[in-house]
Amino acid sequence: MINSNSIAITGASGFIGRHLLARITGQGKVGLVGIGRSDIPGNLPADVAWRKVNNYESQELASAFSGCSTLIHLADGADRTNGAISDHKGLIRAIASSSISHVILASSIYAKTDKKDSENQYGNRKRQLEDALKTIPNIAVTAFRLPPVYGPGCKGGFATLATLLKKGWPLPIKTATELRDYIAVQNVTDLFIASLETGQVEPFTLIEPSDGQPISTADLAIAIADAIEQPARLFAVPNGVLRGLGRVSGKQLQIDALMSTLRVSHSVEEVASMTGGWRPSIQMPESLSFLKS
C-alpha cells in the first residue's frame, strides 16, 4: 500500500512519467498531481489532476505542490546535448515552502562520474541537484541514480540503436565489448512504487539500481536484432579510429558512451535491502519484446 496521501510528479508527461502514472492509478485511492510544461496530455488518467508550469525552477511549483506530501521529480530540466539548464534554487525554495516531506528523485548514473563539465554537464547537474536537496530541512530524499532506461516510448541511444538495426544498417560496434547497465522502465516504476510503499526514514538515501544484467553494446545490438527478428550486421573498427570519427563528426560523447563501461554500484540484492524487497520483474530478452510492435 502506498504510504502517501497525495503525490506530485514532475515530468509526468515524459517517458517514465507516463508509465508511472499508469501504474500508480492502479494502486488504490491516492491523490495524484501531474506537473509539466505542456497542456493536459490527451492520455492522462481521469483521476490525475494536471498543473501546467512554465518551467521547473519557478515559484509556480510552490502552488503546484500544494497539498502534496510526496514529490517524484522526473523532470530533467536540461538539454543533454549542450547542458542548458537553469539554477536549482527555485525548485529547492518551492519544495522547502511546501508540505512535501519525501522527495523521490530520478537522478542519473552519470552523476557519479568525475569528468570535467564539458564532458558530463548532464551528470554534474544531476549531482548538484542531489546536493541541493540535502540542504532542505525536515524532508527525506531518495535519489535513484538510474542507468539508461528503456521500454515502450524510450528515446536516446537505445532507441537510435534499435532504429538502425530495424533499417538493416551495418554498424561498426563489434568491438564495443565493455559492460553497461540498463534498467527497463517497468522495473523503474516498480522501484518507485516500492519506495512509496516503504516510505523513507533516512534524510538522504542514494540507490543505484539496474536490471542486474550488464551487457555490452555489441551484445545489446544482437539481443535487439533477435527481438525484432533482423540480422545484426556488426563489423569491427579499432576503438581509437571510432573515437576519432566521433570527434570529427561532433558525436564524441555519443561514441564514448557506446564504447565505455557504465556500471551501477549496487547489486540487485543491495537495492532490495534498501527498498523493502524490490527486484527486477523483467529482464532481457523478455524486456525487449516491445520492439516487435
Side-chain angles (χ1 to χ4, degrees):
M1 184 175 181
I2 291 178
N3 185 24
S4 181
N5 295 324
S6 186
I7 303 167
I9 304 177
T10 62
S13 61
F15 167 49
I16 296 176
R18 294 193 304 272
H19 287 271
L20 183 59
L21 281 178
R23 286 294 312 280
I24 296 180
T25 53
Q27 299 292 315
K29 294 183 178 181
V30 179
L32 286 173
V33 177
I35 300 172
R37 295 188 182 97
S38 64
D39 293 326
I40 299 176
N43 58 350
L44 189 73
D47 53 352
V48 177
W50 185 258
R51 296 175 185 171
K52 180 180 177 180
V53 296
N54 291 323
N55 61 70
Y56 290 114
E57 306 298 340
S58 74
Q59 286 302 307
E60 288 179 280
L61 283 175
S63 60
F65 295 159
S66 178
C68 296
S69 57
T70 299
L71 168 64
I72 301 178
H73 188 55
L74 304 177
D76 273 345
D79 183 329
R80 297 184 185 218
T81 58
N82 64 23
I85 186 169
S86 53
D87 198 285
H88 297 305
K89 292 180 180 178
L91 173 64
I92 300 304
R93 286 195 299 266
I95 295 172
S97 64
S98 72
S99 55
I100 289 169
S101 59
H102 183 196
V103 176
I104 299 173
L105 172 66
S107 188
S108 169
I109 193 63
Y110 292 103
K112 69 187 289 183
T113 66
D114 293 323
K115 291 183 178 180
K116 59 185 180 182
D117 287 350
S118 61
E119 296 177 343
N120 190 36
Q121 291 172 324
Y122 177 71
N124 290 339
R125 295 299 296 185
K126 284 289 190 180
R127 187 170 62 251
Q128 289 169 11
L129 178 54
E130 293 173 2
D131 292 340
L133 288 170
K134 295 177 185 177
T135 67
I136 306 175
N138 303 318
I139 71 163
V141 177
T142 308
F144 291 105
R145 284 184 174 174
L146 301 175
V149 182
Y150 66 96
C154 70
K155 298 180 181 179
F158 184 99
T160 299
L161 181 60
T163 297
L164 294 175
L165 288 164
K166 286 180 180 179
K167 291 180 177 180
W169 286 21
L171 301 174
I173 57 173
K174 193 171 184 178
T175 57
T177 56
E178 296 290 340
L179 292 179
R180 298 172 60 82
D181 279 312
Y182 293 84
I183 188 166
V185 69
Q186 178 176 324
N187 292 331
V188 173
T189 57
D190 288 346
L191 186 62
F192 288 170
I193 295 289
S195 185
L196 289 169
E197 290 176 340
T198 58
Q200 176 63 286
V201 294
E202 298 295 330
F204 186 84
T205 301
L206 182 63
I207 303 174
E208 296 183 6
S210 73
D211 284 346
Q213 192 181 42
I215 187 170
S216 70
T217 298
D219 286 340
L220 176 61
I222 294 171
I224 291 174
D226 288 344
I228 61 177
E229 299 179 348
Q230 293 277 0
R233 302 171 62 191
L234 309 183
F235 63 96
V237 172
N239 288 356
V241 173
L242 196 57
R243 293 180 191 273
L245 291 173
R247 287 192 296 271
V248 172
S249 64
K251 301 291 185 181
Q252 182 178 357
L253 295 181
Q254 290 88 336
I255 296 298
D256 284 347
L258 290 174
M259 310 302 293
S260 303
T261 186
L262 185 68
R263 301 299 309 277
V264 299
S265 299
H266 295 142
S267 67
V268 169
E269 289 72 22
E270 288 172 322
V271 176
S273 70
M274 292 186 282
T275 57
W278 171 90
R279 289 179 180 276
S281 61
I282 192 169
Q283 291 179 311
M284 298 180 192
E286 290 78 15
S287 58
L288 300 176
S289 60
F290 73 95
L291 293 169
K292 296 179 182 178
S293 59

